[in-house]
Structure formats: C-alpha cells, structure tokens
Amino acid sequence: MTTTASDEAIWLFGYGSLIYKVDFPYLERRRARLRGWARRFWQGSHDHRGTPEAPGRVVTLVADPDAVCIGMAYRVTPAVFAHLDHREKNGYARIAADFRFDDDSEVRGLVYVAAPGNEAYLGPADEAAIARHIAGARGPSGENRDYLLALAAALRELGSDDAHVFGIERALHRIGDDATV
Ligand code: SIN
C-alpha cells in the first residue's frame, strides 16, 4: 500500500492568531468547536506581540467544563508543524483534542495550548486591565492591539459570541475614546 502526504494529514484546531493569520499551507479548513475549553488572554507574548522585558498578552485555552470554543480547523500535512512549532514556541505545546464541525462530525486532532506555569504565562486579570496591557504592548509581529482586533473581527465572521474577547475589545475602545477627550 502506498501512502501520500494527504493520508497522513492531521486536523489542527486554531482559536487565536491561527484563525486569521494563515501563513501555512492546508488541505482543507472548516469551522469547528471545541468543548470543555475557554479562550483567555492569559498568555504572555515575548516574541510576537511583546518582548521578554515587556510581554504582550495573547490567547491560550483554559479548561472549563461549561465552555465551548469556536475556532477554525485546518487539515495539514505533518511537515507544516515545523513552521507552526516555531511560530507557537513561546510556551505553547501541542495536545490531542476532539472537536466537532458544523455537521456534528467529530475528529481527533491537535491544538496548541499554553498551560499555566510556562515561562511566559501571565494568568487572569480583569478585562480593563488586560485591555490596558494590550494597548501598551508591541513586539516583532506588531501592535498587541492589532492581534486583539483581528481576532475579534475573525470571531465575528465565524459567528462566535465570545464574551471575554469582545469585553476586552470594548475596554480597548474605551481607552482610545478616553485618550481623545
Ligand atoms: C491558536 O491560534 O490556535 C494559538 C494561539 C495563537 O497563536 O494566537
């Protein structure tokens, strides 16, 4: 029997920048939902949206039995993980997860999660504090606020009603409004 790269393809669930910054080849992509995990701006970023001295804030997943995280799943060949592991190297590890597509079919795939205790982990803060932090951070990949705004726009397009992300986005806009009065 011969195998092809596509036979070995793996589904990857993206819930943060992997939704809107697709700088990797994929065979197929589908909206998906991951039960039992909540998206949270609790991970520090030393290499993309901040620096080791002044980290930015980006999303990770936090276990929550009541949560459903909407994201985008990509079917990729194993070779793609060389690039993605480098891109997600600041505290994220790939873990296996089962997620569902809109037609309710389920697949086992992978997801990058930055667990508490990793070198860049920041943990919880209230929405206003997270927004202030994001408003002041930038790194080699650009302004931290652009990460938040691009993610919020992508989630709106996916039809995800993510109270945490949209609450921080509103708080960021309030900071902008206050600064102009
Ligand atoms: C992801 O998007 O799935 C991981 C977190 C990120 O790169 O923003």
Side-chain angles (χ1 to χ4, degrees), residues 1-21:
M1 193 179 83
T2 55
T3 54
T4 65
S6 131
D7 287 335
E8 298 155 17
I10 301 159
W11 281 100
L12 170 70
F13 181 85
Y15 58 91
S17 68
L18 290 176
I19 300 178
Y20 67 82
K21 186 180 175 193

Side-chain angles (χ1 to χ4, degrees), residues 152-175:
L155 291 178
R156 246 174 232 113
E157 237 173 78
L158 283 178
S160 164
D161 185 16
D162 191 312
H164 174 78
V165 173
F166 295 145
I168 296 168
E169 182 192 36
R170 276 194 304 278
L172 181 83
H173 288 318
R174 278 199 295 275
I175 294 169

Side-chain angles (χ1 to χ4, degrees), residues 18-35:
L18 290 176
I19 300 178
Y20 67 82
K21 186 180 175 193
V22 188
D23 60 354
F24 53 90
Y26 59 87
L27 303 165
E28 193 182 344
R29 94 172 146 179
R30 296 174 73 177
R31 197 178 96 116
R33 62 186 191 276
L34 179 61
R35 196 167 283 282

Side-chain angles (χ1 to χ4, degrees), residues 91-115:
Y92 293 86
R94 285 189 243 141
I95 63 165
D98 299 318
F99 38 89
R100 280 184 193 276
F101 301 119
D102 289 343
D103 64 5
D104 250 6
S105 59
E106 188 177 58
V107 287
R108 166 143 291 209
L110 296 172
V111 57
Y112 284 96
V113 174

Side-chain angles (χ1 to χ4, degrees), residues 19 53 55-56 62 66 96 121 128 135 159 166:
I19 300 178
E53 298 72 37
V62 177
D66 298 327
Y121 192 72
F166 295 145

Side-chain angles (χ1 to χ4, degrees), residues 88-154:
E88 304 294 327
K89 67 184 184 308
N90 192 198
Y92 293 86
R94 285 189 243 141
I95 63 165
D98 299 318
F99 38 89
R100 280 184 193 276
F101 301 119
D102 289 343
D103 64 5
D104 250 6
S105 59
E106 188 177 58
V107 287
R108 166 143 291 209
L110 296 172
V111 57
Y112 284 96
V113 174
N118 78 73
E119 76 218 352
Y121 192 72
L122 293 174
D126 66 42
E127 288 172 1
I130 292 177
R132 280 196 302 277
H133 185 152
I134 288 173
R138 59 201 51 81
S141 297
E143 298 287 323
N144 203 170
R145 59 180 290 123
D146 292 341
Y147 175 105
L148 166 61
L149 297 177
L151 177 59

